[in-house]
Amino acid sequence: MSHRELDDMLGTRWRKPPLVQRAWLRWVLGLGLLVYLVLAIASVEVDWGRVYDGLDRGWAFVLAFTSPDFTSRASDIWSGMLESIVMTVASSVVGILISIPIALGAARNIAPLPVYMICRGIIAVSRALQEIIVAILLVAIFGFGPLAGFLTLSFATIGFLSKLLAEDIESMDRSQAEAVRATGARWSQWITYGIQPQVIPRLIGLSMYRIDINFRESAILGLVGAGGIGATLNTAFDRYEYDTAAAILLIIIGIVMALEYLSGIVRARVQ
Amino acid sequence: MPVIETTAGPAWRKRTTGQSMVRWFGWLLGLAAFLWCWVRISESTTWFFVWDAPRIASDIFTRATPPRWSYMDSLWLPIWDTINIATLGTMAALVMAVPVAFLAASNTTPSRVFVRPLALLIIVATRSINSLIWALLLIAIIGPGVFAGICAIAIRSIGFCAKLLYEAIEEIDRSQVEAITATGGSRWQVMAFGIVPQIAPAFAGIAVFRWDINIRESTVLGLVGAGGIGLQLQASLNTLAWPQVSLILLVILFAVVISEWVSAKVRGAII
């Protein structure tokens, strides 16, 4: 900055430089956002009378959290919860086992191009389709029950875990892998001694995180008939049994918190 | 490093006998748990439907192709609703998440003993319950429609946004805050000039990231009656109108890909 510029700036108040440099673009973006907001808010119909009527029920629901009813539907809650947990465990195990070879295939630095393309394709499909939509299709194909939920969660696990694991393999330290290869190791030895030790802590951390996600998702698959606690929860809402619904939600929150705490401990230990 | 005496001389092992026994039992327990889960799933499965699955899948596929393109005319309004649910929901969530994040961050919270745990509880509770469950709940309270969808998305997103934001606040450079404090800035001035500029890029990134996720989630909210394109999906599924279902699935896939692309572009421009 020259002296002339500094002299010019002397005595004038400093102003924060704007985020978008070009003035016209700034105005166009701002106006566009405003127009969109007006249109969007105008197109949302709110029946305030209905909302007002609902406030009582909302308050009843909040009160239900102070007296959750674990007992009157205990067997339904128990079997639904058990089914959710069973689906979570089975789908996590299967999903993780399948996602390891796919992750190896989707890492550009160890896989040949055709394999890479196929594995990336599998990951893209699995990530683009939502769990609930996959569950609808699988329920239509395999019938109601936890099998559809189990398959859905396994499928979703593959997309999540393979993508992150493949990225981790791609960013690994090359020299260790090269050192193992220089000893004349076979491909399987190369993977076991050169690559696996580098990515295993990350794999454990990601798996714990995915178990957590799978449990949360298993709670909603019941809404479309794919097994788990979701069906019980849906019935509780339909019958306006808020104390039972509150009990189920409290159990879900409790398990999720416990899982998060557990995964924190595990991740701290392996890293 | 344990050394085990063998007839051929001392041999190096990675683990002691006790450690490897513990590991072996760990694997055994894990395998037993998985097998037990699998037995439970297979008990509640009607295997007849599963053996029939390939036929049913191909049947559905032939019914669903080609998609009924003319149905697109009645999809434009639901698409607009879906975008509004995601965008307005994200905005409302950010408005609520900012104060929660400041209360939860250990360097800005007014009280680490009383306020911080409360803020963390809000974060965990809103995060661990899926938006579909929030939608079910809100529909029972304020009636079906787009408004319930916006509220469900907003509440669900608070925890996610607040968690990422408070982690960003905790990671700020302390020296800038100290510099503003040294000039005699008040609590609010320190906030506005010392903290906010440091977390603004993170905030924008989080907003776009969550908007992308919310587009995905809002496409299925209609399954429980909370407006958007999911309503059409539900109606088509109920009447077994498979050509319409396949068209809606294509639209959802397209929307997800577009939103991911937009989100990546915007984040690239900001950060």
Side-chain angles (χ1 to χ4, degrees):
Chain A
M1 212 179 275
S2 67
H3 274 292
R4 174 65 54 81
E5 276 177 69
L6 273 179
D7 285 340
D8 286 344
M9 286 168 77
L10 207 65
T12 55
R13 206 185 150 96
W14 177 80
R15 286 179 66 192
K16 198 168 155 287
L19 183 70
V20 182
Q21 286 297 334
R22 274 162 292 182
W24 64 268
L25 188 63
R26 196 159 69 229
W27 280 102
V28 167
L29 283 177
L31 267 179
L33 190 69
L34 200 69
V35 169
Y36 167 73
L37 273 184
V38 170
L39 283 179
I41 293 174
S43 75
V44 176
E45 285 164 20
V46 185
D47 183 356
W48 290 108
R50 177 74 177 78
V51 175
Y52 182 76
D53 291 342
L55 286 181
D56 285 343
R57 253 171 289 166
W59 184 239
F61 183 73
V62 174
L63 283 183
F65 271 97
T66 59
S67 60
D69 179 8
F70 291 96
T71 45
S72 63
R73 301 236 168 254
S75 67
D76 284 349
I77 296 178
W78 173 242
S79 65
M81 251 337 156
L82 197 66
E83 205 168 69
S84 270
I85 293 171
V86 160
M87 269 157 49
T88 308
V89 172
S91 65
S92 300
V93 170
V94 171
I96 292 166
L97 286 182
I98 299 176
S99 59
I100 291 172
I102 293 184
L104 287 174
R108 189 67 196 96
N109 53 350
I110 54 174
L113 192 63
V115 177
Y116 173 77
M117 298 294 264
I118 293 171
C119 291
R120 283 283 164 181
I122 295 173
I123 292 175
V125 170
S126 158
R127 278 168 52 78
L129 295 172
Q130 266 154 317
E131 277 96 339
I132 200 90
I133 290 179
V134 176
I136 291 173
L137 292 177
L138 289 178
V139 166
I141 294 171
F142 290 100
F144 292 102
L147 183 76
F150 157 74
L151 291 174
T152 306
L153 292 178
S154 307
F155 182 64
T157 305
I158 293 171
F160 174 89
L161 213 62
S162 307
K163 178 173 195 279
L164 294 173
L165 196 60
E167 272 159 21
D168 198 48
I169 296 174
E170 281 176 349
S171 65
M172 70 173 182
D173 183 2
R174 292 188 63 84
S175 52
Q176 292 186 31
E178 270 168 30
V180 173
R181 178 158 260 190
T183 62
R186 277 181 285 122
W187 188 82
S188 60
Q189 288 172 325
W190 182 52
I191 298 288
T192 323
Y193 297 102
I195 291 161
Q196 187 240 55
Q198 293 194 51
V199 295
I200 213 79
R202 178 115 169 112
L203 175 65
I204 294 174
L206 287 175
S207 304
M208 289 302 296
Y209 185 40
R210 186 64 217 186
I211 292 172
D212 190 2
I213 298 177
N214 278 348
F215 178 73
R216 284 183 225 191
E217 293 293 333
S218 75
I220 55 156
L221 293 181
L223 296 181
V224 294
I229 190 72
T232 320
L233 191 62
N234 201 7
T235 329
F237 275 122
D238 283 347
R239 294 183 187 155
Y240 295 109
E241 289 174 346
Y242 289 145
D243 35 10
T244 306
I248 297 172
L249 290 182
L250 283 176
I251 298 175
I252 293 177
I253 294 176
I255 295 182
V256 168
M257 280 177 90
L259 275 176
E260 209 154 278
Y261 185 66
L262 196 72
S263 74
I265 295 176
V266 171
R267 270 184 283 180
R269 274 194 65 175
V270 294
Q271 273 157 11
Chain B
M1 291 287 176
V3 177
I4 289 164
E5 291 294 337
T6 60
T7 48
W12 173 80
R13 290 285 167 82
K14 198 173 172 188
R15 298 186 183 88
T16 61
T17 317
Q19 279 172 334
S20 40
M21 288 286 268
V22 168
R23 285 194 164 241
W24 189 82
F25 272 107
W27 281 107
L28 187 72
L29 276 181
L31 188 68
F34 172 69
L35 286 178
W36 182 77
C37 288
W38 178 248
V39 168
R40 287 207 53 111
I41 290 178
S42 92
E43 271 171 3
S44 43
T45 303
T46 318
W47 286 100
F48 170 72
F49 286 128
V50 178
W51 304 134
D52 210 25
R55 200 185 56 77
I56 296 175
S58 65
D59 185 42
I60 289 176
F61 186 76
T62 46
R63 279 167 202 263
T65 45
R68 186 180 296 153
W69 299 107
S70 59
Y71 189 58
M72 202 63 210
D73 292 337
S74 47
L75 282 184
W76 293 113
L77 192 65
I79 292 173
W80 168 248
D81 279 343
T82 302
I83 296 171
N84 288 342
I85 291 174
T87 313
L88 298 178
T90 311
M91 285 179 164
L94 289 171
V95 170
M96 291 185 278
V98 169
V100 175
F102 274 100
L103 295 179
S106 57
N107 49 351
T108 54
T109 179
S111 156
R112 268 178 225 194
V113 187
F114 298 109
V115 182
R116 187 163 192 257
L118 199 68
L120 290 179
L121 181 72
I122 294 177
I123 291 176
V124 172
T126 52
R127 243 159 59 86
S128 48
I129 296 175
N130 196 287
S131 49
L132 275 172
I133 297 178
W134 281 117
L136 267 183
L137 173 62
L138 285 162
I139 285 164
I141 294 173
I142 58 179
V146 174
F147 187 56
I150 295 175
C151 294
I153 288 287
I155 296 177
R156 156 82 163 159
S157 311
I158 294 175
F160 179 91
C161 297
K163 183 180 160 71
L164 291 178
L165 202 57
Y166 97 75
E167 281 166 0
I169 296 173
E170 283 181 350
E171 282 165 14
I172 57 168
D173 182 2
R174 298 199 60 80
S175 55
Q176 296 188 30
V177 176
E178 273 169 30
I180 306 283
T181 319
T183 63
S186 72
R187 196 183 161 82
W188 294 109
Q189 284 173 325
V190 169
M191 204 87 116
F193 298 101
I195 298 175
V196 169
Q198 290 196 54
I199 58 167
F203 178 79
I206 294 165
V208 181
F209 188 24
R210 187 66 217 186
W211 175 79
D212 176 22
I213 299 175
N214 282 345
I215 287 274
R216 285 161 186 261
E217 295 205 340
S218 59
T219 54
V220 292
L221 282 182
L223 290 175
V224 294
I229 198 168
L231 277 176
Q232 252 67 22
L233 181 61
Q234 178 77 318
S236 305
L237 279 170
N238 283 344
T239 54
L240 296 177
W242 289 103
Q244 294 178 19
V245 172
S246 61
L247 178 68
I248 294 169
L249 290 185
L250 280 179
V251 168
I252 290 179
L253 209 61
F254 189 67
V256 167
V257 171
I258 291 277
S259 73
E260 204 157 87
W261 181 78
V262 169
S263 144
K265 279 280 162 195
V266 173
R267 268 189 294 167
I270 295 169
I271 302 165

